[in-house]
Amino acid sequence: MSEDLRDALDCMFDARVPRLWLRLSWPSATLGFWFSELLERNLQLCGWISSGRPHQFWLTGFFNPQGFLTAMRQETTRSNLTRGWALDTVTLSNNVTKMMKEDVMAPPSEEVGGVYIHGLFLDGAGWDRRSAKLCEAPPKVLFTPLPVVHVFAISSANMVDSRQQPGGGGGAVSLYSCPVYKKPRRTDLNFIFSLQLRSLQPAEHWTLRGAALLCDCK
């Protein structure tokens, strides 16, 4: 009976993830959640291998989501070399669609490129699907699922300052730079990147609310 084996048995009895497993995997609230996530990750990767590139990606299912997004930037840069794009000047941009994951039937157009991602939850805010803007979270609702997000790469040399966009109702629509975290514990180790979310309120409003996106709300 080694120390690692004794720890694994104790953790399984308490429905916790053994320390030895955590060295090679990811943290989770309980062993049950960990095993369910393992099956879902395996399903996404096996489907990618057997059926080809999926139309959308479950961001939570990647051990290194930052590397996945960097690979997407590199792919877009290579396809735009004739236009003078360089990886150092390519940044991420996004557009929150009105589709849920069940509605996605095709990947993004080749002209724009990028990927569809899903599995994000809003913490500290709600989402108005009709107008595709941030709103106040309903009472007693802690987490709001975000629709499918189109993440794509653009050249920063051609970017235009878009902090304020014209709103359809005559007011200005602000963009809130919403941080995305792997887990509810908001630390630098769990930070992935930021998404630009449209809002009728100024960005400071959601900063004071502590609004963020989580890949895992358990």
Side-chain angles (χ1 to χ4, degrees):
M1 177 71 73
S2 65
E3 182 180 353
D4 288 335
L5 183 56
R6 183 171 59 251
D7 174 74
L9 292 174
D10 291 340
C11 288
M12 289 181 183
F13 183 81
D14 296 333
R16 293 182 290 112
V17 183
R19 287 183 302 176
L20 186 62
W21 297 9
L22 287 174
R23 296 174 191 170
L24 302 174
S25 63
W26 55 91
S28 189
T30 66
L31 184 59
F33 288 146
W34 184 92
F35 189 71
S36 298
E37 193 171 336
L38 174 65
L39 295 178
E40 292 173 354
R41 288 173 182 238
N42 179 69
L43 182 64
Q44 173 169 254
L45 295 177
C46 287
W48 194 346
I49 293 172
S50 60
S51 304
R53 181 168 176 164
H55 299 329
Q56 56 181 321
F57 297 89
W58 179 46
L59 191 64
T60 313
F62 292 108
F63 187 78
N64 182 16
Q66 297 96 324
F68 170 73
L69 295 172
T70 300
M72 185 270 292
R73 288 175 53 221
Q74 293 173 337
E75 182 183 56
T76 305
T77 302
R78 284 195 296 267
S79 63
N80 289 276
L81 287 177
T82 56
R83 300 171 59 184
W85 285 30
L87 185 61
D88 294 340
T89 62
V90 171
T91 59
L92 292 176
S93 186
N94 67 271
N95 177 38
V96 182
T97 71
K98 296 183 179 181
M99 301 182 293
M100 302 306 288
K101 65 178 182 178
E102 300 83 6
D103 305 325
V104 178
M105 298 300 175
S109 63
E110 294 184 0
E111 182 180 352
V112 180
V115 292
Y116 287 138
I117 61 173
H118 69 274
L120 301 178
F121 297 88
L122 270 170
D123 181 16
W127 186 257
D128 185 354
R129 287 186 61 188
R130 178 174 297 181
S131 61
K133 295 184 183 71
L134 284 169
C135 63
E136 298 294 343
K140 300 183 180 180
V141 176
L142 296 179
F143 306 105
T144 303
L146 194 70
V148 173
V149 182
H150 180 201
V151 180
F152 52 95
I154 58 175
S155 176
S156 58
N158 300 327
M159 283 181 59
V160 179
D161 188 6
S162 56
R163 293 181 181 177
Q164 295 287 337
Q165 298 180 355
V173 176
S174 301
L175 288 177
Y176 171 59
S177 183
C178 186
V180 182
Y181 296 94
K182 299 178 186 177
K183 297 291 180 180
R185 188 176 182 183
R186 304 183 188 182
T187 65
D188 291 341
L189 295 176
N190 289 328
F191 176 76
I192 303 176
F193 72 127
S194 295
L195 286 178
Q196 304 299 320
L197 302 182
R198 302 170 69 238
S199 169
L200 292 178
Q201 291 90 354
E204 292 78 8
H205 175 84
W206 302 111
T207 302
L208 293 175
R209 286 281 195 276
L213 283 164
L214 306 177
C215 290
D216 184 5
C217 60
K218 295 186 291 292

